[in-house]
């Protein structure tokens, strides 16, 4: 399956993207390629876009991978998911307290806080299920869409913040992270919910690998070079970025190992009841084995060409074993008495002429009548 080849550009370009993200903090302004400080950010975006484009190409060429996938037991992914759920809950609660505590609750922070709490509930539920139940669990519902909505709101909030500051000081890398994270978690929810989709699993590779690369580089950069010691809770967002990147990578590793081919996948509706098998009774009558089935079922069957190799189930038949070879002269079998043509001709002394046989019969009748008198 060619979708797995998307790991190659991800492994190669992830260090490149991380280098250009860390470069402004390691080197003096203008020392990287002799350009301004905003150029490394655009080179970082170029590396992320290349990961995205290569993933699109490899996934477009893949016609074998199934668009459906059922989660398996994954303890590492479950642990990361639980930690991510804790961060979502803490960050959402912090947002709500600060928004309502200021006396001027803004719509976007309030919506972000509520969605973060709901995403925490969804993440911890899915993570515990993956850790302890594995494939026994039923497909997740569309509640998995909450993380995607959360990152969509953060994307809008990040874009709105760019309108109040100069583009030179805008963090465009964070916007890139939220765009790819939104698209990944949307297709992640579609995949887990087993919704009919032609490219569900492929899109997890297409958007998941760029999201993991961008979030890991940005999250580590902010935790190392922009760690806020005065307000520790403000560091929850970069920590979430790192955990989201690990969560995506662990999930895609699982998919790469256990994804099945399209031809080997059969999707059955969750709420569909299995067709009831009509009872077939077998009766034994006079030594014959008879299979009795529904008459309507027989009437609805299509007429097929009879083959010698056809299944004889449902037909009246009895196997008879012959101990002696059949004689070529045997004509018929009547009441277990064999009559052959040779027996009829060799010892037959009856006259051939019909008239002569009639005279003999008349004589025999006269003799019988005389004796009776």
């Amino acid at each position: 399956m060619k979708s797995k080849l998307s790991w190659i550009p991800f492994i190669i370009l992830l260090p490149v993207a991380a280098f250009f993200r860390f470069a402004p903090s390691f080197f003096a302004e203008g020392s990287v390629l002799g350009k301004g400080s905003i150029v490394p950010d655009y080179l970082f975006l170029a590396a992320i876009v290349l990961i995205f484009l290569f993933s699109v190409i490899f996934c477009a060429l893949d016609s074998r991978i199934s668009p459906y996938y059922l989660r398996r037991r994954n303890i590492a992914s479950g642990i990361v998911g639980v930690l991510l759920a804790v961060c979502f809950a803490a960050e959402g609660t912090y947002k709500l307290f600060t928004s309502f505590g200021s006396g001027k609750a803004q719509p976007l922070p309030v919506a972000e806080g509520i969605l973060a709490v709901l995403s925490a509930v969804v993440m911890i539920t899915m993570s515990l299920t993956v850790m302890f139940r594995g494939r026994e669990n039923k497909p997740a519902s569309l509640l998995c869409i909450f993380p995607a909505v959360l990152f969509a709101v953060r994307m809008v909030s990040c874009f709105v913040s760019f309108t109040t500051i100069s583009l030179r000081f805008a963090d465009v890398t964070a916007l890139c992270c939220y765009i790819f994270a939104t698209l990944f978690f949307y297709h992640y929810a579609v995949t887990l919910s087993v919704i009919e989709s032609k490219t569900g699993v492929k899109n997890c590779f297409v958007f998941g690998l760029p999201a993991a690369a961008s979030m890991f580089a940005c999250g580590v950069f902010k935790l190392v070079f922009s760690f806020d010691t005065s307000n520790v809770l403000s560091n929850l967002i970069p920590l979430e970025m790192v955990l989201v990147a690990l969560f995506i990578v662990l999930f895609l590793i699982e998919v790469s190992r256990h994804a099945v081919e399209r031809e080997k996948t059969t999707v059955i509706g969750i709420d569909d009841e299995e067709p009831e098998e009509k009872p077939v009774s077998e009766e034994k009558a006079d030594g014959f084995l008879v299979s009795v089935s529904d008459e309507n079922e027989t009437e609805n069957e299509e007429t097929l060409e009879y083959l010698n190799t056809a299944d004889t189930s449902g037909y009246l038949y009895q196997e008879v074993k012959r101990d002696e070879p059949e004689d070529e002269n045997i004509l018929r079998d009547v009441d277990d008495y064999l009559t052959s043509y040779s027996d009829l001709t060799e010892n037959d002394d009856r006259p051939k002429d019909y008239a002569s046989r009639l005279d003999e019969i008349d004589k025999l009748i006269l003799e019988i009548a005389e004796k009776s008198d």
Side-chain angles (χ1 to χ4, degrees), residues 1 3 59-69 196-203 258-267:
M1 290 179 279
S3 297
C59 291
L61 296 175
D62 189 359
S63 59
R64 296 175 56 192
I65 190 170
S66 172
Y68 305 99
Y69 180 75
E196 184 177 357
S197 175
K198 296 182 179 179
T199 58
V201 178
K202 290 181 182 180
N203 288 333
H258 301 292
V260 296
E261 296 181 2
R262 184 186 298 269
E263 291 78 8
K264 298 180 181 180
T265 304
T266 302
V267 179

Side-chain angles (χ1 to χ4, degrees), residues 30-100:
S31 60
V32 180
L33 301 177
K35 302 294 182 180
S37 60
I38 197 173
V39 173
D41 290 342
Y42 286 108
L43 293 176
F44 164 81
L45 296 176
I48 300 301
V49 170
L50 285 177
I51 295 175
F52 169 73
L53 292 178
F54 278 111
S55 300
V56 170
I57 293 173
F58 288 129
C59 291
L61 296 175
D62 189 359
S63 59
R64 296 175 56 192
I65 190 170
S66 172
Y68 305 99
Y69 180 75
L70 292 178
R71 296 260 1 220
R72 294 172 176 258
R73 188 176 182 183
N74 192 334
I75 298 177
S77 178
I79 293 174
V80 174
V82 171
L83 295 176
L84 183 59
V86 173
C87 290
F88 278 153
E91 194 263 336
T93 306
Y94 174 73
K95 283 275 186 183
L96 292 175
F97 272 110
T98 54
S99 297
F100 290 105

